[in-house]
Amino acid sequence: MLRSAAMITVLLSSLATSASASEWRILAQFDDAPEGLVSDGEGNFYVSLYHSGHIMRVGKDGKTSQIADLRSVIGDADGSTVGLDWDRKDTLYVAFSEYSKRFPWPAEANLAVEACGDATVTKSGLYKVTISTGKVEPVVTRADGYPFCFPDDPAVGPDGKVYVSDLSLQAIWKIDPDQKSAEVWSKDPLFSPGDRSLSGYPVGVNGIALAGDGKTLFGVTGGIPMLVKVPINADGSAGKAEMLSFGYDNMDGLEVDADGNFYLTETTRSEIWKVSPDTKKRQQLGNPLQAPLGAPASIAFGNGEICVTNLNFFKHLPADKANSIACGKLTDPLW
């Protein structure tokens, strides 16, 4: 009996070790909290800074340089520069969410609905950054009459259209950058926690990502934390959303690799998870006990590593590790 117990202990220890990314390190630090993150496919990254509105490039050696400043267009608007995505050419699309002075969401979580209805908020929306010149231009914003509430994470489709999650509206927009038009693409009931929020935040879809074939959009939700799937119909409209996986805390970032595995960030517990394509298996890649993680937000891959932005929303990290990108080497999967 003692031998069996010892064997179980060894097996569990082995499983815990193999279930984590190894050799976590800080790739880069900033003077502001990083939020959005995307790889250029060559080991370098583009990053958005949450408060300042600066858009940065980070080399594979960790050196940082500023390539654009949203403040050149949004002025002194108080808000969050959130997710970004790259069109694989010369354009970054960046989401910006202006705060309401009358109803201070997200500082007060119960005022999300009121903040959405503040007509004095005009800067929330999607912005375009030309990488080669640093020029910033609005694509569509509330000033154009669209009721964006908290635009959060963009994902560029194969046809050039941009999907944008709206955290407080609990919806996903579809934006045509050429026409400078937007539509509420999906406002599926599955996104809304109603009065049943398990995380304590009355929010909907946060991070989104497209399948490799461009026929499905995936998202993670924050109010009732789960991984969801939204089919893209042949005519481009949204199908009915479906829950794929649940049992998390407040979700933020999402990425899908070439094999169809999902990578999720969990902000409250500062955890990173890998989920198999069939969603029947999950593997923890990092937690604050063994990695420099503080409210990890966006995810990107580079040089055999998974990298995340440490938004540090709940002040988990000390100053010498905060405002950072953390990267960990990916181990062999358990499946």
Side-chain angles (χ1 to χ4, degrees):
M1 196 67 181
L2 287 174
R3 174 182 288 183
S4 297
M7 288 178 67
I8 290 172
T9 301
V10 169
L11 285 171
L12 288 175
S13 176
S14 173
L15 181 63
T17 301
S18 62
S20 299
S22 62
E23 299 179 35
W24 280 93
R25 65 191 179 100
I26 298 295
L27 172 65
Q29 281 191 282
F30 309 90
D31 57 5
D32 186 14
E35 211 287 353
L37 183 69
V38 65
S39 169
D40 71 353
E42 297 180 358
N44 310 298
F45 300 94
Y46 299 109
V47 185
S48 61
L49 299 188
Y50 195 70
H51 301 288
S52 66
H54 294 165
I55 308 301
M56 311 292 290
R57 178 187 282 113
V58 180
K60 59 186 72 174
D61 58 1
K63 292 183 179 179
T64 66
S65 58
Q66 182 177 313
I67 63 170
D69 185 355
L70 255 61
R71 295 288 168 194
S72 63
V73 172
I74 63 173
D76 61 357
D78 188 17
S80 298
T81 304
V82 207
L84 79 170
D85 200 13
W86 178 41
D87 72 348
R88 300 300 183 259
K89 297 175 184 176
D90 195 30
T91 302
L92 294 170
Y93 291 102
V94 186
F96 178 77
S97 295
E98 184 180 1
Y99 301 157
S100 167
K101 293 182 175 63
R102 298 169 176 170
F103 308 103
W105 158 257
E108 296 183 30
N110 63 331
L111 293 179
V113 174
E114 290 83 353
C116 284
D118 187 348
T120 66
V121 173
T122 60
K123 299 295 195 303
S124 296
L126 184 69
Y127 291 80
K128 171 184 174 181
V129 173
T130 302
I131 298 170
S132 59
T133 65
K135 182 179 180 181
V136 180
E137 305 169 72
V139 179
V140 283
T141 69
R142 280 180 64 99
D144 300 309
Y146 294 105
F148 298 112
C149 190
F150 197 97
D152 196 301
D153 192 31
V156 181
D159 60 355
K161 305 296 193 299
V162 184
Y163 299 89
V164 181
S165 63
D166 195 318
L167 189 66
S168 298
L169 193 62
Q170 301 166 11
I172 299 170
W173 294 86
K174 188 175 183 180
I175 295 172
D176 186 330
D178 294 331
Q179 299 296 321
K180 293 196 170 184
S181 62
E183 62 173 321
V184 176
W185 182 70
S186 178
K187 204 172 190 301
D188 197 279
L190 191 63
F191 302 158
S192 174
D195 59 359
R196 308 178 308 279
S197 174
L198 300 180
S199 69
Y201 294 93
V203 296
V205 186
N206 199 321
I208 58 174
L210 286 161
D213 61 7
K215 296 180 179 179
T216 307
L217 185 141
F218 301 101
V220 288
T221 58
I224 299 180
M226 55 188 164
L227 171 66
V228 298
K229 165 186 175 180
V230 185
I232 299 174
N233 296 325
D235 64 357
S237 62
K240 182 175 175 56
E242 174 188 346
M243 180 181 70
L244 297 180
S245 178
F246 67 96
Y248 308 95
D249 207 311
N250 189 21
M251 307 299 290
D252 195 324
L254 172 66
E255 192 56 76
V256 184
D257 70 15
D259 295 321
N261 297 293
F262 303 97
Y263 296 78
L264 323 172
T265 62
E266 196 176 274
T267 59
T268 308
R269 296 200 295 248
S270 293
E271 295 172 346
I272 301 170
W273 291 89
K274 179 179 180 179
V275 178
S276 63
D278 62 6
T279 71
K280 296 184 183 302
K281 307 176 193 69
R282 67 178 71 176
Q283 176 180 358
Q284 190 180 93
L285 301 181
N287 65 66
L289 298 178
Q290 46 81 258
L293 299 174
S298 299
I299 307 169
F301 303 110
N303 297 328
E305 294 181 309
I306 182 171
C307 296
V308 297
T309 50
N310 276 319
L311 186 57
N312 207 30
F313 197 74
F314 303 102
K315 308 302 180 187
H316 294 86
L317 291 171
D320 64 334
K321 290 185 174 64
N323 295 345
S324 62
I325 297 173
C327 298
K329 287 188 177 180
L330 289 170
T331 58
D332 292 334
L334 296 180
W335 52 83

